Amino acid sequence: MIAACLSSALSLNSCIEEVFPESSTATIDQIGKSDQAISAMVNSVVAFINAFRSYGPQFYHDFGYSGYNLIRESACEDFFCHEPKFDFFDTYGVCNDLGDADVVNTIWYYNYKFLNNVNNALSALEKADDAPENKYYKGICLSYRAMIYMDLVRMYEYKKTGVEKLDAEAASKNLYGITVPIITDETTEEEGRNNPRAPFYAVYKFILDDLASAEELLSDYQRPTKNLPCTPVVHGLMARMWLEMGSRFELYPEDLNTLNNNTDLNIASKETCFTKAAEYARKVINESGAMPLTEKEWFGGDSYTTGFNSVLTNSWVWGSIMTTEDVHSYWLNFAGSMCPEQTFGYGNRKWQGYKLIGKKLFDQIPNADWRKTTWIAPEDAGKAPGTKYHTLFTDENFKKVPAYVHLKFKPKEGNMIDANVGAPIDNLLMRVEEMYLIKAEAEAMGGNLSGGKSTLENFVRTYRDPSFTSKANSAQDFQDEVWLQRRMELWGEGFSLFDILRLKKPVIRKNTNYDPSVQYNSAAEAQILIYRIPQCEMETNSGISDTDNNPAAPQPQL
């Protein structure tokens, strides 16, 4: 895989073949001299969000970035499939095969293949002229690279689990603080074949440097569509990164000294990180023009057809755009997995692959909060929806839907039958509501508890629950309040695992509505939530051996 990431001769997609039809490959120099070929390469970066079967034909989650978001939801306690036979994310929900199996290797492969596309495009841009669009192209690529490395670091860095045997093994192997290999557009194949896991501080600086460059390059960029990063998107990624760093240094203060001793970032304190997170979140709110969803918009308008399926939605800051050409299977796509009202996939009434909210979270949502009707309450299961629920189901079909099933994601145009129309729903990457929640948490954790409470109360009262009042008396208690709001607001959008790890929270499934086969509890930062480096990486990269790999964790006990 490393060789593929660093190949000097690029495999051509159809767009580049139109520019260089006489050969099956083109050099970086050739592409750099062709405006059309450079544009095609950057488009391939943007389009990889929707990549179908990047690993091969075996796995039902391998339909793009949104599929990997569902993996991160399935690993926690708020999201699961009603019918285990049609739970195509069960490896991550059951945790029954999280060692060196291909089903887990797909995560590594998808992300590094994504980085391959980015680095190839950046290499070509280095050979290009200084046309304004090339500057923007570079900023776009750097934004994607920062996002992917941010994801990788959070999924592969080992931290203390509290399990004595695993922690002792990790300490003996010097695993603490190391993440993933850094591959850039300047990495040679020789370097890539001996590329150790980078320390956390090196990757943090790399991500921040990419974002700082992207911010400068995109400062005057007016994007034509929301699937392209722009200044508010870069600032949103910065807000996420600084929140991640502040949370880390809150839990592990010694890591701040390690970072400052090995980089030139010179971060004064954890509060500095939280302050920056709040600052960048505020910039997104002010710059993007995005507004939080109203109740009507959340459920898809008057006809319930636009719920969480269109990049044109006012609250979306960034998302992918899907067309019919991006749908390669009726079943294997986000809508077929997630939209309960459609009939072309498996997450529906016929196959019972519905996605449910965990009872533990549902019970914490106040009745006065209209978001609660995103999921079918147990007392309403078997009844007609009436005016309480906003659904495309007929009354008779609604009566057959189990309790706790969600009504959040709608098929495109509300088309429940034709996958060519209903399946290509745009995939959400960032919306402004997340920034309000980052701002609130970061303000409080940065030393301004009253400011954080004011931000959260204003947001929730104005847009979600007019009766909401924060009851927190400390920053840590308030952080938990915000986490609850994040779980309610961002359910199904791919944040669950990242938040569980960032906040060092356990996974609690016992005595809930989860299927008995997955009713286990796991401790905070349990190794089952951190993935192993694939065998194929160790076979092609001498910088990583099994000694450098994360310990293999057993399946949790029921």
Side-chain angles (χ1 to χ4, degrees), residues 163-314:
V163 179
E164 184 176 349
K165 179 181 178 182
L166 294 177
D167 289 347
E169 179 184 348
S172 68
K173 295 164 71 172
N174 295 316
L175 293 183
Y176 293 122
I178 61 173
T179 61
V180 296
I182 297 175
I183 299 177
T184 77
D185 50 304
E186 297 179 352
T187 305
T188 66
E189 183 169 349
E190 182 180 2
E191 291 169 338
R193 290 189 177 278
N194 184 15
N195 195 2
R197 299 175 68 180
F200 77 90
Y201 53 79
V203 186
Y204 282 10
K205 177 168 169 48
F206 183 74
I207 292 169
L208 291 173
D209 286 349
D210 268 3
L211 291 174
S213 296
E215 181 183 35
E216 180 179 353
L217 292 164
L218 298 174
S219 60
D220 61 345
Y221 177 53
Q222 299 296 316
R223 62 180 178 178
T225 51
K226 285 189 189 178
N227 63 330
L228 299 170
C230 60
T231 299
V233 169
V234 173
H235 288 162
L237 292 172
M238 287 178 164
R240 290 176 180 174
M241 188 63 209
W242 283 108
L243 184 70
E244 183 75 23
M245 293 170 67
S247 300
R248 182 194 190 106
F249 302 143
E250 173 75 23
L251 292 170
Y252 307 100
E254 66 278 6
D255 285 354
L256 179 57
N257 293 329
T258 301
L259 179 141
N260 283 331
N261 290 337
N262 289 279
T263 72
D264 59 359
L265 291 173
N266 297 318
I267 299 173
S269 65
K270 64 186 180 186
E271 287 82 8
T272 301
C273 298
F274 287 122
T275 299
K276 285 183 176 290
E279 173 190 344
Y280 284 114
R282 177 183 54 78
K283 286 184 177 183
V284 179
I285 293 167
N286 293 340
E287 297 166 348
S288 66
M291 292 294 293
L293 292 166
T294 64
E295 180 179 3
K296 181 177 179 179
E297 290 169 333
W298 178 285
F299 291 110
D302 290 330
S303 55
Y304 315 138
T305 59
T306 57
F308 290 89
N309 64 19
S310 174
V311 76
L312 299 178
T313 304
N314 191 35

Side-chain angles (χ1 to χ4, degrees), residues 445-464:
M445 297 302 293
N448 183 7
L449 177 59
S450 62
K453 293 179 71 167
S454 177
T455 295
L456 184 65
E457 288 176 346
N458 287 340
F459 167 71
V460 178
R461 288 174 183 172
T462 303
Y463 300 108
R464 302 294 181 257

